[in-house]
Amino acid sequence: MALCLAAAGLAALPGRPKHAAVPVGAYFNGVFPAEAPGASPGFASANAFPELTFTDPMWIAEIPGTSDMVVVEKSGRLKRFPKERQSGPREVSVALDLGSRVQISEDQGLYQIAFHPEFGRSGSSHSSEIFLSYNFRPTFAGAGPDASFWRLSRFHWDPADETIDPSSESVLIQQYDPNRWHNGGALAFDKQGFLLFTCGDGGGTDDQFGQSQALDGCFFGGVFRIDVDQDPERSHPIRRQPSDGADKPLGFPASFSQGYTIPHDNPWVHPAGHYLEETFAIGLRSPHTAHYDLQTDGLWVSDVGRTDREELNLVPKGSNLQWPFMEGEVPGPKSREQVHGRETPPVYAYDRSMGGCIIGGMRYRGSRWADQLDGKILFGDNLKGSLFTLDPDAFGDPEATEILSGLGAGIYSGLSNVCTDSAGDIYLLKLNGSNRDGGTVRILTPGKPLAGPPALLSDTGLFTDTARLEPSPALMSYEVASPLWSDGAIKRRWMALPNDGLRDSDEEQVAYSTAGNWSFPAGTVLVKHFDLALDEWDPSVLKRMETRVIICTAKGGKYGLTYRWNEQGTDAVLLNEGAIADYTITRENATKETFQWHFPSRADCMQCHSEASGQALGLRTHQINRLVLYPGSDKPVNQLAHFNSLGIFHRSLSPSELAGALAACGLDDESAPLEHRLRSYLDANCAHCHQPGGPVEYFDARLQTSLQSQGIIDVTLKGQYALPGGSYITPGHPELSAIYTRMTSCEPGLAMPPLGYNRIDARATSLLADYISGLSRDITPPPSAPLARYVCFTAPIGSDGFASIAEIRILDESGNPMPAADLAIAEVNSEDAVSPARFALDGDPATCWSSSEKAGFFLALTLDLQRPRRIGGFEYVPRQDSSLGRLPSYQVHHSLDGIGWTQLAEGRLSPGSGPAIATYRFDDLIHAPTCTIAASPVASGRDFDGTIVFDSEVRGFGPGDLRVSNGRVKALRGDGYYYVATISPERFPVSISVPAGVATASSHGNLESNLLKVSGSKNPAR
């Protein structure tokens, strides 16, 4: 009890109740606002349609002639609903579902809808026409995110049932797309009735496919303009077909254009067809969004940058927007060579201190906000979750003004577009993760006056003596096991939970989670202070840098504040925007190191404190589960148990829960294996983004996930970072390990973490290099049995001109063939009348499914498992009695929804006849779990702990499974992959190991661990 009271800043009082605390009101006695202070008091936002959610909303528009709205979902659906709710819930209908055609990935899907200018006009031949841009997923072997087609298509609206018939599609442009990135697909009809559309540079890195400055290649890297009415007075026929731009997989058709004509006044018209005459402007990289201003006949394009600048472009006819030889006002990755068109710099460009993914670009002309916003550009930033305005007609260089923040931060959880309607309402489309329901459409609303936070740290009351940094008695200090790297800063942490002197209600206690985020009562205030040692010869001399405050609001919300210390170190000033300052450090070798310190803005705070990572990053079970020496105590106390004794949690944790809780470890804590220390570091520095549902869920960096389930060992890189031959961690090769190469870079756009990382953590990167160098390919994780409902078998047809397949068997999770009665044929592209596709499922290798003579170049069969099931592999049995019709190669993909597909396997068979069978079993690829033990040297003959870490979740591991010499196992605690053994030594050294096969994962026993020898300063007394 004395320890608890001392931690709260009070002297121990006899008889004080167990859960007594220093009383403090919510929001530190009302000092801080209960809602995030907005960037401008004039604006706020609310959910426009609170009862509706969407999967990746990309665009919202009115349906002309109706009172209904339509939302474009990236997954391939158009959802229709009334703008105004009458009585009861809004009725939502799916006007079109192209899910079976749309290729979905990080940057691919259905983009936008455009209604013909004469849509709904009685008597017009165009009254039912709409236009859609999307990525098309063909059913050919080899198709996928990096082998698809970008499409522009015309569809017809059926006024009778107010839907769009998928069969009415007329493809105008089908452009082969060799990469999943940099697509775009904004659509708009200009004042003349011509259709404008945008597309990025084809993906890859640094204009990899060379299309942004090309006039004679593909529909990439620019703005294009066509006449969908095919008016011969204003336009002429297509003279040049697009090229493919890159090698296509076997069997893919050529890119094409059709069904429209070329406006006579397009800038690059050539009578001999030397140019792709649809081109209106070139030099774009990744134009995610674009908006047309009818009043000025101007197209505003937001072009997402590489590493240096985000661009807001006004695009005149014949302009060259300068990518890839310029990025904003700085040089781009390629040199300026022959320049076509008129070089046109962006109207506005900003660097990574302001954001990292520009969204929107709409010029406002509505009535609702005419007084405040008329003629201004509205754009947001997906990574920052902020909305900005810009007056393009202002005198001098345009300046952006932030008018709203807190709109969600992260590539797949932030803004996706800014739109409007005829009433002048402004809609902010917000994602909820990639291909995940829960996206919303917010509406701009008038802001209500909010009292801002105190301008000076000394006015907050957080410190009784700010200059001496003496915390208020209401602040409780805490420490984390593995701190986030902050350019070498030394940090102190406190929290204040609102309470009336007794923590005995939900409004005063933390909702505890063993492995997930803790949830804090509204009004909780978290404080973190940063000092920096500028002279390594005298590290005791510290410079005060900043104090950050996270305020936890109602319903799990939060916002952040930054107070920057003055040069005298006597007080700190609230920052309304981020800031950068240069500092110089004297190193131990007497050299000088100058670097930039990044003071985060409020929006910056939310990049790490994302929705997935909860309200606090460090306050979670494995970080708090550590020993802390509290003032007035002569020995360390477990901090998690200490919190429990204070009544901080909403329920009391049992002794077994406390004993078995996962614990993170610092880099220099040699009581834990190096692997566990490094994974603790990655958890602290990476997991706020890299986790399921996080802003970048490419892998799972959370410590509670075992190494083999994290998706980092020998796993192909996702996203745009290029490392040929590399993976996230490539055993034996730090230089081919993206986690290592990005941690050893401070270059903007490459450094990880991406925010506030201006000094490399030499200790962490050295240990990581040692660890990766010592890894063996034997620890490469197997693919886990995926959950799927559909399995697709595709193959190119060989020289015989037809294909014959005896059997295709899908294996269940145990590796046994699923009964044929459980499978159905969802789709087949070719079958002979005498040898139908069902013969491939009849269990008889003597019968064959044979394609017809009109099968073309490929064969495709999609099986429906009738329900989502774990698949353990497959067996492919080729024709057994002859080599005729045998396939030269094959691919197998699986899908949960029939929309997004993942490759399961590919392979080849000998062309000869014989009983060859191709079998792919996940279980065959599962390796035995590895095991590592570590412990610190023992100072005396007392009991000590050894940490045991497996690389997979294991079963059946107990105290009797440890092999110990010169001691005995007193206790074993832990679960899954993490265990701690308490050893009673008899004499030193004590040897500890885990024999092979004592613990199991996926029916495989573990490999034998390392042999750990623990020394002590003296033997135990006998």
Side-chain angles (χ1 to χ4, degrees), residues 194-455:
F194 296 137
L195 181 60
L196 295 160
F197 63 92
T198 68
C199 195
D201 65 9
T205 58
D206 302 341
D207 192 31
Q208 177 177 330
F209 302 103
Q211 293 297 324
S212 284
Q213 291 294 317
L215 291 173
D216 57 357
C218 309
F219 290 104
F220 287 144
V223 178
F224 305 89
R225 182 172 180 249
I226 60 176
D227 180 9
V228 297
D229 296 345
Q230 304 183 68
D231 181 353
E233 298 296 321
R234 305 192 304 159
S235 57
H236 57 269
I238 298 169
R239 293 171 175 151
R240 184 183 184 90
Q241 287 291 302
S243 68
D244 291 324
D247 292 335
K248 303 189 308 291
L250 180 66
F252 273 46
S255 303
F256 65 84
S257 58
Q258 62 182 14
Y260 63 84
T261 49
I262 309 294
H264 292 323
D265 64 345
N266 270 9
W268 284 288
V269 171
H270 194 284
H274 289 175
Y275 304 132
L276 208 60
E277 295 182 319
E278 294 90 337
T279 306
F280 183 82
I282 61 174
L284 289 174
R285 178 182 181 270
S286 184
H288 181 76
T289 52
H291 294 262
Y292 177 73
D293 179 35
L294 182 64
Q295 184 168 318
T296 60
D297 192 25
L299 183 70
W300 290 87
V301 176
S302 294
D303 197 14
V304 178
R306 174 180 173 263
T307 59
D308 291 309
R309 296 293 186 271
E310 302 298 301
E311 296 184 0
L312 179 62
N313 295 278
L314 177 61
V315 185
K317 181 170 64 176
S319 58
N320 187 323
L321 303 167
Q322 302 180 304
W323 173 258
F325 56 84
M326 294 293 290
E327 185 177 355
E329 72 280 13
V330 301
K334 289 187 176 180
S335 60
R336 180 188 270 104
E337 296 179 356
Q338 182 181 3
V339 176
H340 304 285
R342 182 174 64 259
E343 287 196 42
T344 307
V347 172
Y348 184 74
Y350 61 89
D351 63 19
R352 288 299 186 267
S353 66
M354 180 173 160
C357 183
I358 189 170
I359 295 294
M362 174 190 73
R363 190 162 193 183
Y364 186 74
R365 300 294 185 183
S367 59
R368 182 86 71 206
W369 297 96
D371 291 343
Q372 301 98 320
L373 300 175
D374 184 53
K376 293 184 178 179
I377 305 295
L378 277 81
F379 68 95
D381 191 276
N382 172 271
L383 290 184
K384 287 295 184 72
S386 296
L387 182 68
F388 303 88
T389 63
L390 181 141
D391 185 354
D393 297 328
F395 180 77
D397 294 333
E399 294 185 2
T401 301
E402 184 180 5
I403 66 168
L404 199 60
S405 61
L407 295 171
I411 300 175
Y412 305 117
S413 57
L415 285 173
S416 63
N417 218 325
V418 181
C419 302
T420 190
D421 62 12
S422 61
D425 285 323
I426 295 172
Y427 300 101
L428 311 172
L429 279 65
K430 184 181 179 304
L431 307 174
N432 186 46
S434 182
N435 200 30
R436 182 180 290 112
D437 191 22
T440 55
V441 176
R442 302 191 66 80
I443 189 170
L444 198 68
T445 61
K448 55 184 178 181
L450 288 176

Side-chain angles (χ1 to χ4, degrees), residues 755-971:
L755 186 67
Y757 189 80
N758 297 303
R759 295 181 70 202
I760 294 170
D761 188 344
R763 175 65 173 159
T765 53
S766 175
L767 290 174
L768 181 61
D770 291 344
Y771 170 72
I772 295 173
S773 296
L775 280 180
S776 164
R777 292 257 178 200
D778 293 340
I779 65 102
T780 299
S784 57
L787 186 66
R789 174 164 178 175
Y790 302 96
V791 178
C792 182
F793 182 95
T794 59
I797 291 177
S799 59
D800 297 329
F802 72 100
S804 292
I805 295 175
E807 293 292 316
I808 296 177
R809 303 167 185 149
I810 309 300
L811 308 181
D812 62 21
E813 193 171 11
S814 300
N816 301 313
M818 296 181 185
D822 292 351
L823 308 178
I825 295 174
E827 186 177 6
V828 60
N829 76 325
S830 177
E831 57 184 342
D832 184 79
V834 179
S835 304
R838 62 182 174 83
F839 282 179
L841 304 177
D842 64 1
D844 183 1
T847 62
C848 291
W849 158 39
S850 294
S851 67
S852 69
E853 294 182 357
K854 298 180 180 181
F857 295 104
F858 76 102
L859 192 68
L861 173 67
T862 301
L863 301 179
D864 185 351
L865 310 185
Q866 307 293 328
R867 58 184 172 85
R869 302 184 64 177
R870 294 283 177 189
I871 54 175
F874 70 90
E875 291 181 344
Y876 155 49
V877 182
R879 181 175 182 175
Q880 299 292 288
D881 61 348
S882 171
S883 63
L884 293 175
R886 280 204 170 185
L887 301 173
S889 62
Y890 63 88
Q891 290 186 338
V892 180
H893 293 74
H894 65 85
S895 172
L896 191 59
D897 55 8
I899 299 174
W901 292 85
T902 301
Q903 183 170 306
L904 182 66
E906 62 182 342
R908 295 179 177 275
L909 284 180
S910 169
S913 61
I917 297 178
T919 302
Y920 183 95
R921 296 176 184 268
F922 287 109
D923 191 65
D924 293 340
L925 303 177
I926 295 176
H927 73 284
T930 62
C931 178
T932 312
I933 308 177
S936 297
V938 182
S940 68
R942 292 177 297 187
D943 295 347
F944 66 89
D945 286 344
T947 305
I948 304 153
V949 174
F950 295 88
D951 66 355
S952 307
E953 302 265 342
V954 297
R955 304 183 305 273
F957 184 62
D961 296 322
L962 280 164
R963 181 188 294 141
V964 180
S965 62
N966 296 336
R968 63 182 181 85
V969 180
K970 188 175 181 178

Side-chain angles (χ1 to χ4, degrees), residues 54-125:
F54 306 93
T55 302
D56 296 346
M58 303 296 287
W59 182 261
I60 185 170
E62 289 173 301
I63 301 175
T66 76
S67 59
D68 286 359
M69 309 292 287
V70 63
V71 166
V72 177
E73 294 185 322
K74 188 161 76 83
S75 56
R77 289 181 293 270
L78 299 181
K79 286 188 174 178
R80 173 190 179 132
F81 54 90
K83 177 180 178 180
E84 303 296 337
R85 184 170 64 179
Q86 304 301 321
S87 60
R90 284 184 177 86
E91 292 187 6
V92 181
S93 61
V94 177
L96 176 67
D97 189 347
L98 289 179
S100 62
R101 304 180 193 179
V102 173
Q103 174 64 59
I104 301 171
S105 72
E106 299 91 336
D107 205 28
Q108 292 175 306
L110 178 62
Y111 298 111
Q112 193 170 325
I113 183 173
F115 295 91
H116 192 282
E118 297 178 6
F119 182 89
R121 184 181 301 177
S122 178
S124 171
S125 60

